[in-house]
PDB file of all heavy atoms in Angstrom:
ATOM      1  N   LEU V1309      81.929  56.559 -66.388  1.00  0.00           N
ATOM      2  CA  LEU V1309      82.375  55.743 -65.342  1.00  0.00           C
ATOM      3  C   LEU V1309      81.938  54.189 -65.583  1.00  0.00           C
ATOM      4  O   LEU V1309      80.677  54.025 -65.889  1.00  0.00           O
ATOM      5  CB  LEU V1309      81.804  56.170 -63.999  1.00  0.00           C
ATOM      6  CG  LEU V1309      82.197  55.523 -62.671  1.00  0.00           C
ATOM      7  CD1 LEU V1309      83.727  55.736 -62.443  1.00  0.00           C
ATOM      8  CD2 LEU V1309      81.466  56.070 -61.517  1.00  0.00           C
ATOM      9  N   LEU V1310      82.774  53.224 -65.510  1.00  0.00           N
ATOM     10  CA  LEU V1310      82.419  51.856 -65.565  1.00  0.00           C
ATOM     11  C   LEU V1310      82.042  51.401 -66.986  1.00  0.00           C
ATOM     12  O   LEU V1310      81.846  50.162 -67.113  1.00  0.00           O
ATOM     13  CB  LEU V1310      81.293  51.472 -64.629  1.00  0.00           C
ATOM     14  CG  LEU V1310      81.552  51.687 -63.160  1.00  0.00           C
ATOM     15  CD1 LEU V1310      80.302  51.346 -62.346  1.00  0.00           C
ATOM     16  CD2 LEU V1310      82.838  50.989 -62.635  1.00  0.00           C
ATOM     17  N   GLY V1311      82.092  52.168 -67.935  1.00  0.00           N
ATOM     18  CA  GLY V1311      81.971  51.832 -69.331  1.00  0.00           C
ATOM     19  C   GLY V1311      80.517  51.569 -69.850  1.00  0.00           C
ATOM     20  O   GLY V1311      80.278  51.591 -71.107  1.00  0.00           O
ATOM     21  N   SER V1312      79.559  51.151 -69.040  1.00  0.00           N
ATOM     22  CA  SER V1312      78.202  50.955 -69.587  1.00  0.00           C
ATOM     23  C   SER V1312      77.189  51.172 -68.456  1.00  0.00           C
ATOM     24  O   SER V1312      77.487  51.107 -67.263  1.00  0.00           O
ATOM     25  CB  SER V1312      78.059  49.432 -70.125  1.00  0.00           C
ATOM     26  OG  SER V1312      77.934  48.519 -69.060  1.00  0.00           O
ATOM     27  N   TRP V1313      75.960  51.486 -68.888  1.00  0.00           N
ATOM     28  CA  TRP V1313      74.929  51.679 -67.854  1.00  0.00           C
ATOM     29  C   TRP V1313      74.589  50.454 -67.126  1.00  0.00           C
ATOM     30  O   TRP V1313      74.283  50.490 -65.970  1.00  0.00           O
ATOM     31  CB  TRP V1313      73.603  52.154 -68.647  1.00  0.00           C
ATOM     32  CG  TRP V1313      73.796  53.658 -69.044  1.00  0.00           C
ATOM     33  CD1 TRP V1313      73.905  54.089 -70.268  1.00  0.00           C
ATOM     34  CD2 TRP V1313      73.877  54.796 -68.192  1.00  0.00           C
ATOM     35  NE1 TRP V1313      74.091  55.467 -70.349  1.00  0.00           N
ATOM     36  CE2 TRP V1313      74.124  55.918 -69.015  1.00  0.00           C
ATOM     37  CE3 TRP V1313      73.832  55.026 -66.808  1.00  0.00           C
ATOM     38  CZ2 TRP V1313      74.165  57.234 -68.517  1.00  0.00           C
ATOM     39  CZ3 TRP V1313      73.941  56.254 -66.372  1.00  0.00           C
ATOM     40  CH2 TRP V1313      74.099  57.349 -67.203  1.00  0.00           C
ATOM     41  N   ARG V1314      74.685  49.260 -67.746  1.00  0.00           N
ATOM     42  CA  ARG V1314      74.510  48.032 -67.073  1.00  0.00           C
ATOM     43  C   ARG V1314      75.415  47.863 -65.812  1.00  0.00           C
ATOM     44  O   ARG V1314      74.997  47.525 -64.712  1.00  0.00           O
ATOM     45  CB  ARG V1314      74.737  46.885 -67.937  1.00  0.00           C
ATOM     46  CG  ARG V1314      74.509  45.518 -67.359  1.00  0.00           C
ATOM     47  CD  ARG V1314      74.704  44.379 -68.348  1.00  0.00           C
ATOM     48  NE  ARG V1314      74.446  43.092 -67.740  1.00  0.00           N
ATOM     49  CZ  ARG V1314      75.418  42.366 -67.145  1.00  0.00           C
ATOM     50  NH1 ARG V1314      76.699  42.880 -67.203  1.00  0.00           N
ATOM     51  NH2 ARG V1314      75.247  41.264 -66.599  1.00  0.00           N
ATOM     52  N   ASN V1315      76.623  48.219 -65.957  1.00  0.00           N
ATOM     53  CA  ASN V1315      77.633  48.192 -64.848  1.00  0.00           C
ATOM     54  C   ASN V1315      77.284  49.187 -63.776  1.00  0.00           C
ATOM     55  O   ASN V1315      77.437  48.768 -62.572  1.00  0.00           O
ATOM     56  CB  ASN V1315      79.034  48.444 -65.396  1.00  0.00           C
ATOM     57  CG  ASN V1315      79.531  47.276 -66.311  1.00  0.00           C
ATOM     58  OD1 ASN V1315      79.068  46.136 -66.284  1.00  0.00           O
ATOM     59  ND2 ASN V1315      80.585  47.605 -67.088  1.00  0.00           N
ATOM     60  N   ILE V1316      76.850  50.328 -64.114  1.00  0.00           N
ATOM     61  CA  ILE V1316      76.476  51.264 -63.114  1.00  0.00           C
ATOM     62  C   ILE V1316      75.243  50.816 -62.324  1.00  0.00           C
ATOM     63  O   ILE V1316      75.243  50.883 -61.026  1.00  0.00           O
ATOM     64  CB  ILE V1316      76.166  52.607 -63.773  1.00  0.00           C
ATOM     65  CG1 ILE V1316      77.456  53.208 -64.380  1.00  0.00           C
ATOM     66  CG2 ILE V1316      75.534  53.629 -62.758  1.00  0.00           C
ATOM     67  CD1 ILE V1316      77.317  54.516 -65.041  1.00  0.00           C
ATOM     68  N   TYR V1317      74.258  50.191 -62.985  1.00  0.00           N
ATOM     69  CA  TYR V1317      73.137  49.664 -62.270  1.00  0.00           C
ATOM     70  C   TYR V1317      73.500  48.509 -61.409  1.00  0.00           C
ATOM     71  O   TYR V1317      72.928  48.378 -60.324  1.00  0.00           O
ATOM     72  CB  TYR V1317      72.020  49.223 -63.316  1.00  0.00           C
ATOM     73  CG  TYR V1317      71.413  50.303 -64.161  1.00  0.00           C
ATOM     74  CD1 TYR V1317      71.113  50.073 -65.455  1.00  0.00           C
ATOM     75  CD2 TYR V1317      71.083  51.495 -63.509  1.00  0.00           C
ATOM     76  CE1 TYR V1317      70.452  51.032 -66.222  1.00  0.00           C
ATOM     77  CE2 TYR V1317      70.539  52.538 -64.362  1.00  0.00           C
ATOM     78  CZ  TYR V1317      70.174  52.351 -65.636  1.00  0.00           C
ATOM     79  OH  TYR V1317      69.603  53.269 -66.314  1.00  0.00           O
ATOM     80  N   LEU V1318      74.436  47.632 -61.783  1.00  0.00           N
ATOM     81  CA  LEU V1318      74.867  46.566 -60.969  1.00  0.00           C
ATOM     82  C   LEU V1318      75.555  47.086 -59.685  1.00  0.00           C
ATOM     83  O   LEU V1318      75.336  46.583 -58.594  1.00  0.00           O
ATOM     84  CB  LEU V1318      75.760  45.573 -61.782  1.00  0.00           C
ATOM     85  CG  LEU V1318      75.163  44.844 -62.785  1.00  0.00           C
ATOM     86  CD1 LEU V1318      76.063  43.934 -63.570  1.00  0.00           C
ATOM     87  CD2 LEU V1318      74.094  43.889 -62.106  1.00  0.00           C
ATOM     88  N   VAL V1319      76.342  48.132 -59.812  1.00  0.00           N
ATOM     89  CA  VAL V1319      77.105  48.775 -58.654  1.00  0.00           C
ATOM     90  C   VAL V1319      75.996  49.299 -57.645  1.00  0.00           C
ATOM     91  O   VAL V1319      76.114  49.106 -56.527  1.00  0.00           O
ATOM     92  CB  VAL V1319      78.089  49.794 -59.093  1.00  0.00           C
ATOM     93  CG1 VAL V1319      78.600  50.570 -57.853  1.00  0.00           C
ATOM     94  CG2 VAL V1319      79.219  49.114 -59.828  1.00  0.00           C
ATOM     95  N   VAL V1320      75.041  50.011 -58.213  1.00  0.00           N
ATOM     96  CA  VAL V1320      73.988  50.575 -57.372  1.00  0.00           C
ATOM     97  C   VAL V1320      73.159  49.488 -56.677  1.00  0.00           C
ATOM     98  O   VAL V1320      72.949  49.551 -55.445  1.00  0.00           O
ATOM     99  CB  VAL V1320      73.016  51.486 -58.252  1.00  0.00           C
ATOM    100  CG1 VAL V1320      71.816  51.919 -57.438  1.00  0.00           C
ATOM    101  CG2 VAL V1320      73.788  52.718 -58.595  1.00  0.00           C
ATOM    102  N   LEU V1321      72.861  48.498 -57.433  1.00  0.00           N
ATOM    103  CA  LEU V1321      72.040  47.405 -56.848  1.00  0.00           C
ATOM    104  C   LEU V1321      72.918  46.613 -55.791  1.00  0.00           C
ATOM    105  O   LEU V1321      72.441  46.302 -54.614  1.00  0.00           O
ATOM    106  CB  LEU V1321      71.620  46.397 -57.896  1.00  0.00           C
ATOM    107  CG  LEU V1321      70.685  45.232 -57.435  1.00  0.00           C
ATOM    108  CD1 LEU V1321      69.450  45.740 -56.807  1.00  0.00           C
ATOM    109  CD2 LEU V1321      70.534  44.207 -58.566  1.00  0.00           C
ATOM    110  N   GLY V1322      74.174  46.398 -56.017  1.00  0.00           N
ATOM    111  CA  GLY V1322      75.053  45.726 -55.091  1.00  0.00           C
ATOM    112  C   GLY V1322      75.226  46.587 -53.812  1.00  0.00           C
ATOM    113  O   GLY V1322      75.325  46.042 -52.708  1.00  0.00           O
ATOM    114  N   THR V1323      75.330  47.892 -53.967  1.00  0.00           N
ATOM    115  CA  THR V1323      75.417  48.718 -52.858  1.00  0.00           C
ATOM    116  C   THR V1323      74.186  48.763 -51.926  1.00  0.00           C
ATOM    117  O   THR V1323      74.341  48.668 -50.731  1.00  0.00           O
ATOM    118  CB  THR V1323      75.839  50.257 -53.273  1.00  0.00           C
ATOM    119  OG1 THR V1323      76.926  50.152 -54.126  1.00  0.00           O
ATOM    120  CG2 THR V1323      76.028  51.125 -52.121  1.00  0.00           C
ATOM    121  N   PHE V1324      73.094  48.731 -52.597  1.00  0.00           N
ATOM    122  CA  PHE V1324      71.824  48.592 -51.889  1.00  0.00           C
ATOM    123  C   PHE V1324      71.670  47.375 -51.104  1.00  0.00           C
ATOM    124  O   PHE V1324      71.368  47.356 -49.892  1.00  0.00           O
ATOM    125  CB  PHE V1324      70.675  48.782 -52.912  1.00  0.00           C
ATOM    126  CG  PHE V1324      69.323  48.497 -52.227  1.00  0.00           C
ATOM    127  CD1 PHE V1324      68.776  49.384 -51.447  1.00  0.00           C
ATOM    128  CD2 PHE V1324      68.636  47.337 -52.512  1.00  0.00           C
ATOM    129  CE1 PHE V1324      67.529  49.056 -50.798  1.00  0.00           C
ATOM    130  CE2 PHE V1324      67.454  47.035 -51.941  1.00  0.00           C
ATOM    131  CZ  PHE V1324      66.787  47.950 -51.059  1.00  0.00           C
ATOM    132  N   VAL V1325      72.047  46.276 -51.679  1.00  0.00           N
ATOM    133  CA  VAL V1325      72.010  44.902 -51.039  1.00  0.00           C
ATOM    134  C   VAL V1325      73.017  44.968 -49.763  1.00  0.00           C
ATOM    135  O   VAL V1325      72.720  44.452 -48.733  1.00  0.00           O
ATOM    136  CB  VAL V1325      72.326  43.696 -52.065  1.00  0.00           C
ATOM    137  CG1 VAL V1325      72.615  42.498 -51.298  1.00  0.00           C
ATOM    138  CG2 VAL V1325      71.188  43.686 -53.050  1.00  0.00           C
ATOM    139  N   LEU V1326      74.223  45.512 -50.117  1.00  0.00           N
ATOM    140  CA  LEU V1326      75.183  45.571 -49.015  1.00  0.00           C
ATOM    141  C   LEU V1326      74.641  46.414 -47.782  1.00  0.00           C
ATOM    142  O   LEU V1326      74.758  45.982 -46.616  1.00  0.00           O
ATOM    143  CB  LEU V1326      76.426  46.227 -49.501  1.00  0.00           C
ATOM    144  CG  LEU V1326      77.603  46.343 -48.498  1.00  0.00           C
ATOM    145  CD1 LEU V1326      78.188  44.993 -48.175  1.00  0.00           C
ATOM    146  CD2 LEU V1326      78.666  47.109 -49.168  1.00  0.00           C
ATOM    147  N   PHE V1327      74.000  47.529 -48.044  1.00  0.00           N
ATOM    148  CA  PHE V1327      73.497  48.399 -46.996  1.00  0.00           C
ATOM    149  C   PHE V1327      72.334  47.653 -46.184  1.00  0.00           C
ATOM    150  O   PHE V1327      72.264  47.722 -45.054  1.00  0.00           O
ATOM    151  CB  PHE V1327      72.975  49.647 -47.559  1.00  0.00           C
ATOM    152  CG  PHE V1327      74.062  50.716 -47.685  1.00  0.00           C
ATOM    153  CD1 PHE V1327      74.091  51.550 -48.867  1.00  0.00           C
ATOM    154  CD2 PHE V1327      74.971  50.980 -46.751  1.00  0.00           C
ATOM    155  CE1 PHE V1327      75.125  52.463 -48.965  1.00  0.00           C
ATOM    156  CE2 PHE V1327      75.996  51.945 -46.911  1.00  0.00           C
ATOM    157  CZ  PHE V1327      76.075  52.690 -48.048  1.00  0.00           C
ATOM    158  N   VAL V1328      71.520  46.966 -47.022  1.00  0.00           N
ATOM    159  CA  VAL V1328      70.357  46.205 -46.300  1.00  0.00           C
ATOM    160  C   VAL V1328      70.987  45.187 -45.407  1.00  0.00           C
ATOM    161  O   VAL V1328      70.505  44.971 -44.355  1.00  0.00           O
ATOM    162  CB  VAL V1328      69.460  45.625 -47.375  1.00  0.00           C
ATOM    163  CG1 VAL V1328      68.431  44.659 -46.783  1.00  0.00           C
ATOM    164  CG2 VAL V1328      68.611  46.750 -48.069  1.00  0.00           C
ATOM    165  N   ALA V1329      71.982  44.350 -45.942  1.00  0.00           N
ATOM    166  CA  ALA V1329      72.562  43.342 -45.116  1.00  0.00           C
ATOM    167  C   ALA V1329      73.245  43.995 -43.903  1.00  0.00           C
ATOM    168  O   ALA V1329      73.211  43.378 -42.727  1.00  0.00           O
ATOM    169  CB  ALA V1329      73.561  42.553 -45.972  1.00  0.00           C
ATOM    170  N   LEU V1330      73.971  45.093 -44.058  1.00  0.00           N
ATOM    171  CA  LEU V1330      74.691  45.766 -42.877  1.00  0.00           C
ATOM    172  C   LEU V1330      73.651  46.209 -41.852  1.00  0.00           C
ATOM    173  O   LEU V1330      73.847  46.029 -40.678  1.00  0.00           O
ATOM    174  CB  LEU V1330      75.414  46.902 -43.405  1.00  0.00           C
ATOM    175  CG  LEU V1330      76.195  47.826 -42.378  1.00  0.00           C
ATOM    176  CD1 LEU V1330      77.273  46.988 -41.663  1.00  0.00           C
ATOM    177  CD2 LEU V1330      76.756  48.980 -43.053  1.00  0.00           C
ATOM    178  N   PHE V1331      72.579  46.856 -42.256  1.00  0.00           N
ATOM    179  CA  PHE V1331      71.594  47.334 -41.308  1.00  0.00           C
ATOM    180  C   PHE V1331      70.810  46.230 -40.654  1.00  0.00           C
ATOM    181  O   PHE V1331      70.475  46.380 -39.518  1.00  0.00           O
ATOM    182  CB  PHE V1331      70.646  48.379 -42.042  1.00  0.00           C
ATOM    183  CG  PHE V1331      71.300  49.670 -42.516  1.00  0.00           C
ATOM    184  CD1 PHE V1331      70.885  50.249 -43.621  1.00  0.00           C
ATOM    185  CD2 PHE V1331      72.241  50.211 -41.707  1.00  0.00           C
ATOM    186  CE1 PHE V1331      71.503  51.391 -44.005  1.00  0.00           C
ATOM    187  CE2 PHE V1331      72.897  51.387 -42.185  1.00  0.00           C
ATOM    188  CZ  PHE V1331      72.472  52.036 -43.348  1.00  0.00           C
ATOM    189  N   TRP V1332      70.647  45.100 -41.365  1.00  0.00           N
ATOM    190  CA  TRP V1332      69.972  44.016 -40.709  1.00  0.00           C
ATOM    191  C   TRP V1332      70.842  43.399 -39.702  1.00  0.00           C
ATOM    192  O   TRP V1332      70.422  43.117 -38.534  1.00  0.00           O
ATOM    193  CB  TRP V1332      69.607  42.926 -41.805  1.00  0.00           C
ATOM    194  CG  TRP V1332      69.158  41.682 -41.255  1.00  0.00           C
ATOM    195  CD1 TRP V1332      67.879  41.371 -40.796  1.00  0.00           C
ATOM    196  CD2 TRP V1332      69.915  40.547 -40.890  1.00  0.00           C
ATOM    197  NE1 TRP V1332      67.789  40.080 -40.220  1.00  0.00           N
ATOM    198  CE2 TRP V1332      69.096  39.568 -40.410  1.00  0.00           C
ATOM    199  CE3 TRP V1332      71.214  40.098 -41.177  1.00  0.00           C
ATOM    200  CZ2 TRP V1332      69.427  38.359 -39.934  1.00  0.00           C
ATOM    201  CZ3 TRP V1332      71.669  38.910 -40.717  1.00  0.00           C
ATOM    202  CH2 TRP V1332      70.760  38.063 -40.181  1.00  0.00           C
ATOM    203  N   ALA V1333      72.191  43.300 -39.943  1.00  0.00           N
ATOM    204  CA  ALA V1333      73.156  42.701 -39.041  1.00  0.00           C
ATOM    205  C   ALA V1333      73.239  43.722 -37.796  1.00  0.00           C
ATOM    206  O   ALA V1333      73.318  43.088 -36.670  1.00  0.00           O
ATOM    207  CB  ALA V1333      74.438  42.553 -39.714  1.00  0.00           C
ATOM    208  N   LEU V1334      73.210  44.921 -37.994  1.00  0.00           N
ATOM    209  CA  LEU V1334      73.314  45.893 -36.798  1.00  0.00           C
ATOM    210  C   LEU V1334      72.092  45.790 -35.982  1.00  0.00           C
ATOM    211  O   LEU V1334      72.013  45.831 -34.741  1.00  0.00           O
ATOM    212  CB  LEU V1334      73.592  47.325 -37.336  1.00  0.00           C
ATOM    213  CG  LEU V1334      74.897  47.555 -37.911  1.00  0.00           C
ATOM    214  CD1 LEU V1334      74.984  48.890 -38.493  1.00  0.00           C
ATOM    215  CD2 LEU V1334      75.974  47.443 -36.773  1.00  0.00           C
ATOM    216  N   THR V1335      70.898  45.631 -36.643  1.00  0.00           N
ATOM    217  CA  THR V1335      69.621  45.456 -35.941  1.00  0.00           C
ATOM    218  C   THR V1335      69.644  44.202 -35.155  1.00  0.00           C
ATOM    219  O   THR V1335      69.284  44.220 -33.947  1.00  0.00           O
ATOM    220  CB  THR V1335      68.455  45.535 -36.905  1.00  0.00           C
ATOM    221  OG1 THR V1335      68.472  46.737 -37.626  1.00  0.00           O
ATOM    222  CG2 THR V1335      67.169  45.424 -36.251  1.00  0.00           C
ATOM    223  N   GLU V1336      70.141  43.163 -35.610  1.00  0.00           N
ATOM    224  CA  GLU V1336      70.171  41.841 -34.960  1.00  0.00           C
ATOM    225  C   GLU V1336      71.137  41.919 -33.751  1.00  0.00           C
ATOM    226  O   GLU V1336      70.883  41.373 -32.729  1.00  0.00           O
ATOM    227  CB  GLU V1336      70.544  40.646 -35.862  1.00  0.00           C
ATOM    228  CG  GLU V1336      69.416  40.395 -36.935  1.00  0.00           C
ATOM    229  CD  GLU V1336      68.203  39.806 -36.204  1.00  0.00           C
ATOM    230  OE1 GLU V1336      68.316  38.987 -35.319  1.00  0.00           O
ATOM    231  OE2 GLU V1336      67.086  40.244 -36.648  1.00  0.00           O
ATOM    232  N   ALA V1337      72.289  42.553 -34.008  1.00  0.00           N
ATOM    233  CA  ALA V1337      73.353  42.657 -32.970  1.00  0.00           C
ATOM    234  C   ALA V1337      72.901  43.514 -31.756  1.00  0.00           C
ATOM    235  O   ALA V1337      73.296  43.227 -30.666  1.00  0.00           O
ATOM    236  CB  ALA V1337      74.559  43.210 -33.540  1.00  0.00           C
TER     237      ALA V1337
END
């Protein structure tokens, strides 16, 4: 999937950042 381990790590990191931002926004709201 995604052709290289670097791409997989970037997707995992991006998903983590997205979840942190989403949960922060929900907490603030």
